[in-house]
Amino acid sequence: IVSVIGGMTFLLVLLYKYRCMKFLMGYMCLASTVLLGFLGGQMFYVAINKYQLAIDNISFYFTMYNFAVVGTLAVFYEKGIPKYINQAYLIATSVIVAWQLSYFNDWMAWALLIMLALYDLFAVLTPCGPLKALVNLMQKDDAPAMPGLLYEAQLPEGATRPGRRVRKNRADQNGNPTEAEDERAINATSNLHVSYAISGVSENGVVESTTP
């Protein structure tokens, strides 16, 4: 499982590095829709049986269809969608994926968690780590936007992604603007959300933001 996760991580980095954005976006949208609709539906079905909820098949499938479609639009389209809805769906995705660990026995679950933690340290902290490489690629000035890869905190007004230079006009004592200078935006750490629908695991790493 960890080997599949590692392979998928490197594949995502390579696709992003060589600007295979249409293929990457298509994969991410399909993976997110399947994860929210199918795995989310399994989780909802368990809740229905546990709490004896009264719902017919048509309502069940209609609910999960809307949940998956709205979630995919919230994560990848973003325009006109409040930030808290986008964040809620990213958290829901992580919860659904983490819930899959309940199907393993205790020893397998703990062993998998430990190995994932070790792999996460390698992927984020080491110079050759794939998530570290992905963050470095996304910090370049010409890096294309990739919604769905990042869980971002709300940015203050005027803030920008780390690595992007912003122009700021300085004024002299008389209030007249002088030569503009480049300044780096402030950056902090948060969580990097990477979808692994095929392997069924998400990773934590670093995200560009000015607020934790």
Side-chain angles (χ1 to χ4, degrees):
I1 294 176
V2 178
S3 299
V4 174
I5 295 170
M8 290 301 300
T9 309
F10 280 102
L11 179 60
L12 288 175
V13 175
L14 289 175
L15 289 174
Y16 187 84
K17 180 178 181 180
Y18 293 104
R19 302 295 191 266
C20 301
M21 302 307 296
K22 290 184 178 179
F23 181 84
L24 186 56
M25 282 295 295
Y27 160 74
M28 296 289 287
C29 290
L30 177 62
S32 181
T33 303
V34 172
L35 189 147
L36 292 172
F38 182 71
L39 297 182
Q42 286 186 331
M43 191 174 182
F44 187 33
Y45 182 76
V46 171
I48 291 174
N49 291 331
K50 181 177 178 62
Y51 298 105
Q52 298 298 312
L53 302 178
I55 184 172
D56 58 87
N57 288 334
I58 296 177
S59 298
F60 174 81
Y61 289 116
F62 180 78
T63 300
M64 297 315 305
Y65 173 81
N66 282 274
F67 179 73
V69 172
V70 173
T72 303
L73 292 176
V75 171
F76 296 100
Y77 186 68
E78 293 185 332
K79 295 180 181 179
I81 299 176
K83 173 64 72 175
Y84 68 88
I85 296 180
N86 173 274
Q87 293 172 336
Y89 268 104
L90 290 176
I91 293 173
T93 300
S94 297
V95 170
I96 293 171
V97 169
W99 176 73
Q100 301 302 312
L101 292 175
S102 64
Y103 288 99
F104 296 103
N105 58 49
D106 291 344
W107 284 103
M108 176 64 79
W110 280 107
L112 185 59
L113 285 174
I114 293 173
M115 295 190 68
L116 287 175
L118 294 176
Y119 169 75
D120 193 65
L121 291 175
F122 160 77
V124 176
L125 300 179
T126 60
C128 58
L131 294 185
K132 184 176 179 64
L134 182 62
V135 171
N136 292 336
L137 288 173
M138 298 190 75
Q139 288 179 349
K140 293 183 178 181
D141 292 336
D142 60 343
M146 186 60 204
L149 284 181
L150 298 176
Y151 178 94
E152 293 181 340
Q154 189 67 39
L155 297 178
E157 184 178 357
T160 187
R161 290 167 53 187
R164 298 295 180 89
R165 293 182 179 274
V166 294
R167 305 291 293 179
K168 181 179 180 181
N169 293 326
R170 303 182 66 183
D172 57 20
Q173 294 180 352
N174 297 324
N176 298 321
T178 59
E179 183 179 358
E181 66 174 1
D182 287 335
E183 293 187 352
R184 291 279 184 181
I186 303 173
N187 65 84
T189 58
S190 184
N191 294 316
L192 176 65
H193 174 84
V194 182
S195 296
Y196 297 107
I198 292 179
S199 58
V201 177
S202 61
E203 294 293 325
N204 289 328
V206 180
V207 66
E208 310 92 78
S209 172
T210 55
T211 56

